[in-house]
Structures are given as C-alpha cells and as structure tokens.
Amino acid sequence: MGTRTPVGVEVAARPGTPPRPARVAAAETPRAAMASPVVVGATIIAALYFGREIFIPIAIALLLSFVLTPLVNRLRRLRLPRLVAVGLGVFLTLGIVAALATLIGIQAADLAGDVPRYRSTIERKVEGLRDSPVGHLTAYVANIGRALHVGGKEAGHEQAPQAAAPPAEPAPAPGQGPAAPKPVLVEIAASQPGSLEMLSTVLSPVMHPLATVGIIFVVLLFVLMQREDLRDRMIRLAGSSDLHRTTVAIGDAARRLSRYFVVQLALNAAFGVVIGIGLYVIGVPNPVLWAIFSALMRFVPYLGAVVSALLPMALAAAVDPGWNMMIAVAILFIVLEPLTGQVFEPIVYGQSTGLSPFAVLVSALFWTWLWGPVGLLLSTPLTVCLVVLGRHVEHLEFLDVLFGDRPALTPVQNFYQRILAGDAEEVLGHAELILQQCSLSSYYDDVVLKALELAARDAARGVLTARQKAAMRTALGELIADLSERSDAVTDAAGETADSACSPMPVGPAPDALSQAWTRQGAVLCVSGRGFLDEAAAAILAQILEKRGLGVRTVPFAEAASARIARFEPGPAQMACVVSLALDGEPTHLRRLIRRLKGRMPGVPILLGLWLTQDEGQGRATEQSTGADGRVVSLREAVEAVLAAAERKAEPQADDHAGTPSPSDHGAEAGEGTSRKPARADA
C-alpha cells in the first residue's frame, strides 16, 4: 500500500537521482512591493481621520496661502519687507474673517428672536395645506392605512383566546390601621453661579473655534514666511534630478491654484452680494446672513446650490402669509445659479475645475466622511490641489488619471479599444465627437489609421484571435459605411487651427477642373493587400478620393490573386494604389501583386502605400524590390500623390478630349505625382 506525498514536498525516485517536484506548487507569498502602496494609503487615511483636529487647520491655512500669495507679492513689489507684507496680508484676512463672524452672529441672533413671531404664519399655512386638495388626498391615504392597521389588530384579538382578568386587590379589613401618609413636596433652590463659572459657561462653546482659528493663522503666517524653503523641499521630494522641469512644474501648479482660488473666491463673493441685494429687494429678513451663507455654500459641489436656496425659501414662506415671496426667492436662485455656473465661470476660469463629475462626487463623499461638514466645504479645493500636483509630479500621476477630467486614453487608444471590442455603435459615437472639431480625412489619418497601426503590431505579435480580427473588420466596415455620406469639411470653424490636433488634408482641384478620364468610375483603383486590415484601409483611401471628385474603385486582394488575375478587368484605370498595413510591407507578396497588376494594366502607374513602414531606407528598398512607380507612407501622402497626378492631367493639353491617355502620359503622371514627395505626416 503506497504512501501519499504532501503537496509541495520534493520526492526522489531512487537514491542518486535529483528530487522531483510535486505537481501542485506551494502558494506564493505576495511581494512587499504590491502591498506597500495599499499600506501607505491606509496609513495616510487613518492619520487624516484621527488627526483631523490638526490637519483641518493646516489644510485651511494652505488653501488661504494660495489666496494671499498674489497680495503678498504685490506688497513685496512696493519695497515692503517680507515680514511686513505677510503681516499685512494675514491681519487683513483676520479682520475680514472677524467681521464676517460678527455679522453672522448678529444676524443669527436677530433671526432667532423673530422665530416665535413667524409661528402663527406657519400654523395658518399648515392649516391651509390641510384644507387643500393635496391635504385631503394625504388625509385619505393616511385614513386608509390607519383602517388597515386597526383591522389587523381586531382580527388578531378575535383569534387570540380571551385572557383572564387579573384578580382584584383585596380591600383592607376594617380596623387594620391608618392609611399611608401623603408625601411632602420639597423645593430645592440652586445657588447663583459665580463670576468665574458664568464666564466659563459663556466661553466654553467658543474656545474650540477660537483655538482652531488661531492655529490656522499661525500656520498661514509660517507658510507665507517660509514659502521659498517649502518650495525647495517640494522640489526635492518631487525629484531633484531634473531641476528645470520640476521648478517649472511646481511654479505652474502654484500659479494655477492661486488663480483658481482667488477667482473662485471673488466669484462666490459676487454671487453672495447679488443674492443679498435680491433678497433685500424681495423683503426676506436678514439678507446679509443669507448672502454670506450662499457665498460659502457655493464652495460645496452639487448640494451647495440647493441648500443655499432652501433656507431663504423656508424663511420667505414663514414671513409672507401668501406664497409670492417664496416663489420670488426660488426664481432668484433658479436664474442666478445657472447663470453663474454656466456663463460666468467658463468665461473667468475655463470650463471646469479640472475634475471629472464622478471625482467631484467621490471627493465630496470622502472628505465629508473624513472631516465632516468642514471636509465638505474643502473637498473640491483639496481635490483640485491633488489633481494639479498629479499633472506635474510624475510620482503622483495616478491622481490625475483617477480624478482629472482629461480622458484616460488618447483618441487613438480609445478607438482601438472600441474596435477591439467590436462595438460599432461606440465606435461611431467616438467618431461623431471628434468630427465636431476635425474633418473626415483628418479623423481617418490622425486617429483611425494610427489605431490600425496598433492593431497591426498586435497582430504581428500574435496576440489577436481570429474572432477579434473578424470583429474589428466588421466594426471598421460599418464605420466607413456610416461616414460615407458625411462631408469632408470641418463642422466647427475653430476646429483645424494651429493649436488643433487635427491636420487638414489638401482639398485638391475642383471637380469641374478634373479631366473626364479621372472622374469616371474606376479611374483610380484602390487595391488592398492581403492583411486583415488592408481592405478597410483601401476603402478609406477610396472614400477620401471620391469626396474630392475622383472616380474610384476598390479592388479586394482576392480579385487580383494569381487564380483570378486573368479575369480581372482594370476598366478606365488611370492609376492604381496598392495599400498595405502589414508591418515591413511584406515585399514578397506585394512584389507578386504589383507584377500581376502591371501585366494586366501595362502603362498604368502603380502607387505603393506602405503606411506602417517606419524605416525610410527599408521603404526605398521595398519600393525598388516591388517594382512600384512610387511609394507613400501615409494616407495624406497617398491623397497628395493622386491629386498631383490629377492636376497634371487637368492642365490644358492637346489630348484632353482624346479619351484614355497613352502609356507615355501615364509615365509622365507617375513621375510628376511621385517626384513631388510631400512631407510625412509624422515628421
């Protein structure tokens, strides 16, 4: 009877032979490098949570430093010493905060004293709501629920056995003694508190806020005084190997953050002033309080605008016996909030804060959980700081990827991922977005063909399955068919500018200027190679040439194969373009293809398009070995070469109406079209 070998134990078959490992290997221990980021992140979050009493003042002080830096710099330009400039800025900020706190306290106390006066108005409105159709419907629904609840209780009592009545307490027999005496009420008067106790009771609620404010301004003073030293330390942490790049990045981040916070503070303050004036005109009590409250709540994403409007509306409903005041307050916020967020903010500091909508929501939830209401107020500014640092500091790039509003993938990568998944609808949606800024030919050349290059490289590595290749061919075919009716013009006038990623292609001669030989169907043959993407590339070239008035015809590789070349009819071909997206051009099969085409179309120039050939010397060798009359390395160069040949024929010549040109004319066209070598698109 054999013995079992434990898993992971090496066993030797016989003495003198090397040990044989077990079939099942032992479980691997996770590497420390994989767990360290998680441990560091958890440690940072725990420190921020348990040390929030310290970190909240520091965070507020750092944000205020970005706001005060422009003011301190202006004071420094007036030849003031740094200590004086920083002191003036800090004390000015402290005075503004103290004034706002005093106003809030006075307005809140005044509002609290007037609350009993509004009670009767609120009660009358509640009674009016009960007498309204909505109140009747609510009462009817409540009565139905109450009847169902009572009916269920009665049914339960009927099913339950009747409980026996508790025995009555025996009455005391006569002569057993007197009744118990009645309790005596004793009143205890508290002694009046002393002066120290009263002072402690009054100051204890404000001691913590005062201490927090003190910490904030001490840290703010230190940060503004030691700004250069802190900058140098940040440069050392970010990376001192490239001081120029790191210095530029830190300076740019500081300027962007300072401008953003200053502009946001000014815009929110202006919003609060306009709200206060509007509430004063409407007649809402304490407009100064609601102006400050609205300005502060605009720092809170999503919920701030709603909360800042609800409280003044509730107060208006309590003050006015009717509903006109509340409706006016609602209209005021409904008009001003979208106007500020959708018109003034984009004009002042761009379309957004640089955060994705999902990141704004997640950051609000995270910082609220971490630091409470103060975290909700600071969530957007703190996350903006992290995203800006992530855009400039290499080690923090993941923050920009997670929370930034820039796409995680480039348009080329995004397109390749969608055709790889075979989702034609998403591919078309992606195209519609880009075509709002780019022409169709630019979209094909700068996005689609570069994505097909990624696909060709993956195919050369053997990582694409047959199903993925078929899905890509289907998605590309549907995309090209859907875009066939679209014009090649730019829909947006600002689309193709010097700063745009799109690069326009040549327009070419007007269709009326082309000779009849080049406008006939099949004047330009777009012949695809045998690669699985070559047919789509040839269809793209044919579509672009057709939109420029040329007569085109696509020829699949199967029609020009050895078995069918004898039945191939070139028709009125003036030029042939062989397109291949395979890496290195596959010169052997292309040479045979071009030889077959030349034998079938003597005198017709053949242009070879090796759009993925990166080596110029290798491209020349491929051109010579294949026997082509010219070679291009991009869609742009192919369009330029064909248009050059068409322009050559469009010039006034003696044989313009002689029909099909002679072989000598074809040779001249080929020489003209291929000698004018355009610059490569990726140069």
Side-chain angles (χ1 to χ4, degrees):
M1 186 174 181
T3 59
R4 294 185 177 180
T5 304
V7 174
V9 179
E10 297 183 350
V11 181
R14 60 176 62 89
T17 60
R20 182 179 60 190
R23 294 182 179 179
V24 181
E28 295 182 358
T29 303
R31 293 180 299 175
M34 297 174 60
S36 58
V38 178
V39 174
V40 171
T43 303
I44 292 175
I45 293 175
L48 291 174
Y49 180 77
F50 291 105
R52 55 185 178 273
E53 300 293 336
I54 299 297
F55 287 114
I56 288 177
I58 293 176
I60 297 176
L62 291 176
L63 295 178
L64 285 177
S65 69
F66 287 113
V67 176
L68 294 181
T69 295
L71 176 62
V72 173
N73 290 337
R74 289 182 179 273
L75 294 176
R76 290 282 291 162
R77 294 192 189 101
L78 299 177
R79 306 293 183 180
L80 293 178
R82 173 175 291 276
L83 180 60
V84 176
V86 172
L88 286 176
V90 171
F91 282 111
L92 178 62
T93 305
L94 184 60
I96 294 174
V97 172
L100 291 177
T102 303
L103 282 175
I104 292 174
I106 294 174
Q107 294 285 317
D110 185 35
L111 180 64
D114 293 337
V115 167
R117 193 175 60 183
Y118 306 142
R119 184 178 303 170
S120 60
T121 304
I122 296 174
E123 291 176 353
R124 285 196 302 269
K125 287 196 174 184
V126 171
E127 292 295 332
L129 289 176
R130 290 177 181 175
D131 295 336
S132 64
V134 177
H136 293 162
L137 180 62
T138 305
Y140 179 71
V141 174
N143 290 333
I144 292 176
R146 193 179 301 111
L148 293 176
H149 182 66
V150 173
K153 281 187 174 182
E154 291 178 354
H157 285 305
E158 291 178 357
Q159 293 178 2
Q162 186 174 1
E169 295 182 0
Q176 284 187 354
K182 296 182 178 180
V184 179
L185 298 178
V186 179
E187 182 179 358
I188 300 176
S191 61
Q192 294 294 331
S195 301
L196 293 178
E197 294 180 359
M198 184 177 298
L199 183 63
S200 175
T201 304
V202 173
L203 293 181
S204 57
V206 299
M207 286 301 295
H208 181 71
L210 289 177
T212 303
V213 172
I215 295 174
I216 290 173
F217 282 94
V218 169
V219 175
L220 176 61
L221 187 66
F222 174 80
V223 170
L224 293 175
M225 288 294 298
Q226 302 293 326
R227 189 181 58 176
E228 285 77 11
D229 181 66
L230 294 175
R231 179 201 61 199
D232 296 341
R233 296 180 185 277
M234 285 293 298
I235 291 174
R236 177 64 182 273
L237 289 175
S240 57
S241 58
D242 190 352
L243 288 177
H244 176 268
R245 177 183 177 186
T246 308
T247 303
V248 171
I250 296 296
D252 180 64
R255 284 192 300 271
R256 286 177 181 270
L257 290 173
S258 296
R259 181 176 180 273
Y260 168 73
F261 291 136
V262 170
V263 170
Q264 190 183 42
L265 181 63
L267 193 62
N268 292 351
F271 177 82
V273 170
V274 175
I275 288 293
I277 295 174
L279 295 178
Y280 175 78
V281 172
I282 294 173
V284 179
N286 309 103
V288 177
L289 174 63
W290 304 121
I292 299 174
F293 181 71
S294 300
L296 292 177
M297 292 307 294
R298 284 209 85 251
F299 288 98
V300 179
Y302 299 121
L303 298 178
V306 178
V307 175
S308 63
L310 286 179
L311 296 183
M313 288 173 60
L315 181 60
V319 171
D320 186 15
W323 300 97
N324 294 333
M325 184 180 291
M326 189 187 74
I327 294 174
V329 173
I331 293 174
L332 177 66
F333 278 92
I334 290 174
V335 172
L336 282 182
E337 178 60 35
L339 189 65
T340 305
Q342 304 300 325
V343 177
F344 293 110
E345 286 184 357
I347 292 176
V348 175
Y349 55 79
Q351 294 295 328
S352 65
T353 59
L355 306 178
S356 65
F358 179 75
V360 173
L361 179 60
V362 171
S363 64
L365 295 176
F366 173 77
W367 290 107
T368 304
W369 166 77
L370 203 63
W371 288 350
V374 178
L376 181 62
L377 283 172
L378 301 179
S379 60
T380 300
L382 289 176
T383 312
V384 168
C385 294
L386 296 178
V387 169
V388 172
L389 289 177
R391 291 184 179 180
H392 293 88
V393 180
E394 183 178 358
H395 302 296
L396 302 176
E397 186 180 2
F398 70 95
L399 294 173
D400 184 27
V401 175
L402 291 177
F403 303 121
D405 60 350
R406 296 189 298 183
L409 300 177
T410 64
V412 174
Q413 295 171 338
N414 202 342
F415 180 86
Y416 177 48
Q417 185 271 330
R418 295 185 184 189
I419 64 169
L420 190 61
D423 194 336
E425 291 298 328
E426 287 196 11
V427 171
L428 184 60
H430 179 265
E432 293 290 343
L433 292 176
I434 298 181
L435 288 173
Q436 294 177 2
Q437 300 291 331
C438 298
S439 64
L440 180 62
S441 56
S442 301
Y443 169 68
Y444 278 141
D445 197 39
D446 297 332
V447 178
V448 177
L449 292 178
K450 287 182 173 58
L452 297 186
E453 179 178 351
L454 299 178
R457 296 188 182 280
D458 285 345
R461 294 190 297 118
V463 297
L464 295 181
T465 63
R467 177 177 297 180
Q468 289 174 327
K469 292 180 180 180
M472 292 173 65
R473 284 195 295 265
T474 303
L476 286 171
E478 294 182 7
L479 174 67
I480 296 171
D482 288 333
L483 298 180
S484 60
E485 302 298 329
R486 179 179 288 271
S487 173
D488 197 19
V490 183
T491 57
D492 188 357
E496 294 181 348
T497 60
D499 299 332
S500 176
C502 301
S503 48
M505 286 191 180
V507 178
D512 297 339
L514 293 173
S515 64
Q516 185 179 3
W518 286 86
T519 57
R520 295 175 183 172
Q521 184 69 24
V524 180
L525 300 181
C526 297
V527 186
S528 60
R530 67 180 181 185
F532 79 102
L533 296 173
D534 293 351
E535 189 171 346
I540 290 173
L541 175 60
Q543 189 178 97
I544 297 302
L545 293 177
E546 187 177 11
K547 292 183 182 299
R548 281 157 176 75
L550 297 171
V552 296
R553 172 188 164 195
T554 57
V555 180
F557 178 78
E559 292 188 14
S562 301
R564 302 181 59 180
I565 191 62
R567 299 189 298 273
F568 175 68
E569 293 295 338
Q574 303 294 310
M575 192 174 189
C577 300
V578 178
V579 180
S580 177
L581 286 174
L583 291 174
D584 301 330
E586 298 186 12
T588 303
H589 101 272
L590 292 177
R591 180 173 61 250
R592 293 195 296 266
L593 174 61
I594 293 175
R595 187 188 305 121
R596 293 194 298 269
L597 291 175
K598 281 185 172 292
R600 193 63 183 167
M601 301 182 302
V604 177
I606 297 179
L607 184 68
L608 178 60
L610 300 177
W611 292 352
L612 301 189
T613 301
Q614 301 296 328
D615 189 357
E616 188 69 23
Q618 183 182 5
R620 295 194 189 97
T622 303
E623 178 183 346
Q624 296 173 1
S625 63
T626 55
D629 298 296
R631 182 187 67 90
V632 292
V633 295
S634 67
L635 174 64
R636 180 183 308 277
E637 292 189 4
V639 173
E640 290 179 348
V642 176
L643 291 178
E647 289 175 2
R648 166 69 176 170
K649 274 310 273 189
E651 295 177 359
Q653 295 181 2
D655 57 347
D656 278 344
H657 302 284
T660 304
S662 62
S664 60
D665 292 332
H666 285 297
E669 290 177 15
E672 180 71 20
T674 57
S675 62
R676 190 169 67 93
K677 200 71 171 178
R680 291 184 56 172
D682 56 349

